[in-house]
Amino acid sequence: MDYVYGPGRNHLFVPGPVNIPEQVLRAMNRNNEDYRSPAVPALTKTLLEDVKKIFKTTSGTPFLFPTTGTGAWESALTNTLSPGDRIVSFLIGQFSLLWIDQQQRLNFKVDVIESEWGEGAKLDVLAAKLAADTDHTIKAVCIVHNETATGVTNDLSLVRRILDEYRHPALFLVDGVSSICALDFRMDDWGVDVALTGSQKALSLPTGIGIVCASPRALEASKTAKSLRVFFDWKDYLKFYNLGTYWPYTPSIQLLYGLRAALDLVFEEGLENVIARHKRLGQATRLAVEAWGLKNCTQKEEWHSDTVTAVVVPPYIDSAEIVRRAWKRYNLSLGLGLNKVAGKVFRIGHLGNLNELQLLGCLAGVEMILKDVGYPVKLGSGVAAASSYLQNNIPLIPSRI
Amino acid sequence: MDYVYGPGRNHLFVPGPVNIPEQVLRAMNRNNEDYRSPAVPALTKTLLEDVKKIFKTTSGTPFLFPTTGTGAWESALTNTLSPGDRIVSFLIGQFSLLWIDQQQRLNFKVDVIESEWGEGAKLDVLAAKLAADTDHTIKAVCIVHNETATGVTNDLSLVRRILDEYRHPALFLVDGVSSICALDFRMDDWGVDVALTGSQKALSLPTGIGIVCASPRALEASKTAKSLRVFFDWKDYLKFYNLGTYWPYTPSIQLLYGLRAALDLVFEEGLENVIARHKRLGQATRLAVEAWGLKNCTQKEEWHSDTVTAVVVPPYIDSAEIVRRAWKRYNLSLGLGLNKVAGKVFRIGHLGNLNELQLLGCLAGVEMILKDVGYPVKLGSGVAAASSYLQNNIPLIPSRI
Amino acid sequence: MDYVYGPGRNHLFVPGPVNIPEQVLRAMNRNNEDYRSPAVPALTKTLLEDVKKIFKTTSGTPFLFPTTGTGAWESALTNTLSPGDRIVSFLIGQFSLLWIDQQQRLNFKVDVIESEWGEGAKLDVLAAKLAADTDHTIKAVCIVHNETATGVTNDLSLVRRILDEYRHPALFLVDGVSSICALDFRMDDWGVDVALTGSQKALSLPTGIGIVCASPRALEASKTAKSLRVFFDWKDYLKFYNLGTYWPYTPSIQLLYGLRAALDLVFEEGLENVIARHKRLGQATRLAVEAWGLKNCTQKEEWHSDTVTAVVVPPYIDSAEIVRRAWKRYNLSLGLGLNKVAGKVFRIGHLGNLNELQLLGCLAGVEMILKDVGYPVKLGSGVAAASSYLQNNIPLIPSRI
Amino acid sequence: MDYVYGPGRNHLFVPGPVNIPEQVLRAMNRNNEDYRSPAVPALTKTLLEDVKKIFKTTSGTPFLFPTTGTGAWESALTNTLSPGDRIVSFLIGQFSLLWIDQQQRLNFKVDVIESEWGEGAKLDVLAAKLAADTDHTIKAVCIVHNETATGVTNDLSLVRRILDEYRHPALFLVDGVSSICALDFRMDDWGVDVALTGSQKALSLPTGIGIVCASPRALEASKTAKSLRVFFDWKDYLKFYNLGTYWPYTPSIQLLYGLRAALDLVFEEGLENVIARHKRLGQATRLAVEAWGLKNCTQKEEWHSDTVTAVVVPPYIDSAEIVRRAWKRYNLSLGLGLNKVAGKVFRIGHLGNLNELQLLGCLAGVEMILKDVGYPVKLGSGVAAASSYLQNNIPLIPSRI
């Protein structure tokens, strides 16, 4: 199955699944274990404690579902809502679209607040809706923190402020798939009721754990939520938490040890340093794009994402051709433009366990590809812009000082 | 996290998750990849083709859900049935109990046909129900092929014969979690409509893929089934199958390569040889149990399972103590007795990538533990009974002749 | 290259290379590193400190040569002796024979003291030689602590006593390849001048590190020893030890991290517990051999080896056929009889990271093979003898109490 | 031991040990095996056949010593020469210096032909010596193909031409440590008598195999060479080659499987494509150095090495500080200047399993470091020079067309 072999490392710059550090690969290189032995619950206990730190919550209850982000979405919705419930949801790109599709198929009544792709969530429309909803028919507000398709980050603190302003009791549900553990995210401070992410994103693991974190209000809501659910039901997990055995069904032993290693790396670097590193990589990427004379899909600076940059190509270029060439000639994996922006943007993921020189290698590759496809880029220009910024801002590696 | 370290290999004899062969661990020891590159679909295509072989189906459509067996159950049910549908389900042990619990929570009307734990499914009661159901209100018959809690294997060909006898159109849904790829299982021959298994069982992978295979009738049923579903919906997969990209959301790259390696091993050994090996290991285990003077939880020989043996201990012994000692003193992982048989049985799993000498080491361990806990076993008796049988029946390893 | 695939684990019971624990495999699963960075010397420093503990020396200086046991022998000899030097060397089996062959080819004048294979070193002959050597023409006494070909362990404390008795200044050189870190070995207490082992033996690593430990007297001797040497020269290492960079040429990064993990496991279990475990496994094996009615190649109990047992087969059986069948039918790797005992003995290695149930699985396999080849063994008899002993003697795993 | 952890990949650009591809890491992730089973000889046989291809020899005999390059040197010398033999050896940098040191310590009479560091071997001096040596007292000519300390590649075809011109029977011994399998090397065409390399260089494995290849003349010479040797003796290997068991002592099982994978990758890419890739990476590096306004340590273009570039820094900069900063701030491993060029050069290794974007990331890093240490580099200039060349010259990855 290595018929696609190319020499050297694959340069993985899709916005997930991302590069797995060797420490995590090592931790996962192991036989199965009996998950009912004392060892696995003891490990699980540390994971549940430590996962809360990356959500910045002390009151939340985390769940480690053997699933993907899509499953985590489903768990968030079905545990807190009942069919027919009215919810407000922001459509700003492909992943918010998919979540909304799920919300509708699960029989919720969704008020969709749509933005142009490349713009952030229209929070003023939310405010208006909440203001009008004096009966509190809106049961939840759903928002994607960082829209991976367009590289747009929404300001969640504003959502909370609006909810508070109208003293609205709607639950606040957040897709943090491409943000948590990479961008500034504060579950408790922002009063988020359910937040979720996937193991293959900022945590830099393989796909396979959908991490869902529920506030006390969300847990309370789950007691009466009528959406049918079994696999994704929090109740079964809570039962086994109380028993101290933690697992209603078989977890992936390898991913649990991998998660342990991944969390250890985050804490060794320091969560704030991790976030700062993502800021640095995001800014460097944007400077390169600017130097190339290309536009960021994100329309305003306030929405700029530090985990993924969607780059708009000129109309005479098919961005899918850029992605194809990247893979075929440079062993570089870039993100396609999806749905409305297919052919129009390509995406550079810069999240997870990644450093500056890896990014600069990617940027140098993108420059060559742009030239390949006929865009008159000055080779080295983006790298120069990025490295000028980085050379001033990269800290020493703490453990090596 | 190795605070539970003991010298030498852990002897893993729970009936799942089972021992992972080195070839599979090697295949999984890899970085993430872009699942939208040409490589992952090409790999996936081979997996879908080859997975059908272990279900013995040519007309079925397989799905590789990033989930566990519990999720695979949910996918089987929600894609083929609508809330309120009447189904018949056999309760013969803990796992059939859990599936029935799921069926009820998903709002199906379940006719439960209960057996004593240790007995097989009461197929005569099914016959009576089908005979009486001239209006065809029964939409599905659900059965666990091999009940992992009691070591009981049901004869699925009889279920099909009964359905045919009454020309009943009910769908035939089978949990093959601890049977498929280890016991004789024939999806097409037996007219099974949905069959499912989990990667951590006979395929000897980590937990994380719930394999669901649907007959054409089941696919047809899924078009009108009204159970709400998104993550587990076959429709989304079928859409991407048609596109040739295969994945509606991110799969685990590592598990896909692992599954490739696991299937290769099965085909290298030969599926019929794999099944014969399980028969051999099952028979050897039962002979040991008999030699110890203990009873098999399974009440009749026709139900004997070749993947797990539940051993009944004398009333003055707590079987949980046997499992504890196995782990604490011998680095041996045995299965607990669950629910109704808690304390009364312990279980020896003998499925997956396992050979005779591994099993004999386990049996020698069990003998010592039995003595530890006060059962007057003759040390060596079970090993002698098992090895007398095995010495006459182990074939040469084909690749080494 | 898996054309020799057989289902389940290979049962590796040759007396080296031995089973590698998962912890060590994990530690070695890594990319290369710059060995001149600060990280590798820091790691090396801990290894050199800790390796001394398994030699039970505080005054010795260890060297981690990228080589095998044969290379370690060469290093021991060429650093301490000059061509033409007279040495006394014991021939008691294939490995002492090979070492003597090396000694002769390196132009030392070797007084060979030969024993029957299966017997220990004739220490009385040594005493006589030393007594006669009032001019101290004997420069070194070379002895294999544990002869892997016959399963004979020599009593090194007696060698020291004899040397002391005659106040003889000869250097005391010990091959501890299949003893150190498994049998009781005390470099300082016994006044050993050079001791050596290989990574693939009791330390349970891959082949690739020849560990040589030199006493202060040996280091002193190396200053004047005239044997030509460069790769194996201690001088170059000592130079780099002083510089704090440790390596005169490129080491295997993977083996260094592997050695770190291996040492950690030894210390976690406790070196004395490791030695006790080997005693237990050795005794259990011997009891099984006795129960089968077969003879141990080792002629007296005092020489019994706790790391390898050479089993004598009846004259009508070719022991090589036993080894072949073990591999072909049972996925069991046993040791061949070598040289003088070829065809006459097969060997069961029981050293390294191994536990009791692994050994019992092996013994059960040997019984079946014995029957295969026509020896009238009672199946289960050896296992019963071994497990009767073990059941009384296995301690609880400390970390699991 | 991960206290030196930095986020993201380590950028390994020392000229060995080099990056190990995942395919090789996977192949090596395995337990030990009995090297006397039929499997290991069968594997070894394929390795010996295929290793000849990377030496471009059909008449040569390869040996896979469990050692490093230093050991391979020793094997080449001691098997072909006798103490006191006169040899000619070129001193052009640190590694040729170390080899000469070894030659002298092994008691050969070495005519050293010294060049300035940065210059190639003075072949005219060789010609003069050979012309004068009508008695054929010179037994061997020793040359380092590619001097890793200075980035100088010697033209071996000229050496052969000179030897032929004077019809001189001296053996032609070549250190190909940093050339074979990366640079054009032709053992048979150039009449090389012993060539050698190490696993951790172009083959991209861990350290641990010293590969030595002997011509028929060299084998003949080994029959009479009087240098003492055992571990490094070809004779023992040849004996076991004849027996078909191949190994006189225990090899590293893991490295054998790793070598199999490494050779497979070379053949999949195509040896000529591997060499072309190294040319491309070498040229790109030199263009970057030129763009930075720095000098290549190599004095003439004809000597430019395609596997390592030694970059001369201005006198006011300490090149060791560049290497330190690379590691401390950028997770980049560069090569130090050694001995005569310590502090004056730093080295960029570009050999082994490496691709263009990896190199460009490294070059971008070097630019930032140069700025860090006060050299007035224009950021992006080197990357632009390199990528302008590369963008015109990188082929599509054959397996992905």
Side-chain angles (χ1 to χ4, degrees), chain B residues 132-207:
Chain B
D133 184 39
T134 49
D135 295 352
H136 296 167
T137 60
I138 297 169
K139 297 305 177 197
V141 175
C142 298
I143 188 165
V144 172
H145 186 194
N146 185 75
E147 171 56 62
T148 317
T150 55
V152 164
T153 306
N154 290 305
D155 186 339
L156 298 184
S157 68
L158 291 181
V159 178
R160 168 47 57 201
R161 203 179 303 165
I162 294 165
L163 281 161
D164 286 353
E165 193 177 330
Y166 298 98
R167 305 191 178 209
H168 199 288
L171 292 169
F172 181 13
L173 311 187
V174 175
D175 165 335
V177 168
S178 57
S179 75
I180 289 170
C181 203
L183 306 184
D184 186 26
F185 179 82
R186 314 182 191 189
M187 183 161 177
D188 283 3
D189 286 0
W190 298 340
V192 174
D193 288 302
V194 188
L196 59 92
T197 188
S199 51
Q200 81 278 20
K201 298 283 183 169
L203 279 164
S204 303
L205 285 157
T207 307

Side-chain angles (χ1 to χ4, degrees), chain C residues 82-104:
Chain C
S82 302
D85 274 358
R86 183 182 173 202
I87 62 181
V88 175
S89 208
F90 297 95
L91 197 175
I92 64 167
Q94 178 65 7
F95 293 94
S96 36
L97 177 73
L98 288 172
W99 197 15
I100 288 167
D101 173 63
Q102 184 184 72
Q103 291 155 9
Q104 292 168 333

Side-chain angles (χ1 to χ4, degrees), chain D residues 3 54 103 111 117 145 153 257 283 300:
Chain D
Y3 61 93
I54 65 164
Q103 291 155 11
D111 285 17
W117 287 36
H145 187 193
T153 306
Y257 283 97
Q283 179 62 10
K300 285 192 198 164

Side-chain angles (χ1 to χ4, degrees), chain A residues 214-228:
Chain A
S215 73
R217 280 187 72 220
L219 281 190
E220 196 57 35
S222 74
K223 293 178 185 164
T224 53
K226 293 197 167 42
S227 293
L228 300 181

Side-chain angles (χ1 to χ4, degrees), chain A residues 250-269:
Chain A
T250 321
S252 162
I253 299 299
Q254 291 72 21
L255 282 170
L256 296 186
Y257 283 97
L259 179 56
R260 183 64 268 159
L263 290 167
D264 288 346
L265 290 183
V266 167
F267 300 142
E268 183 166 348
E269 185 176 358

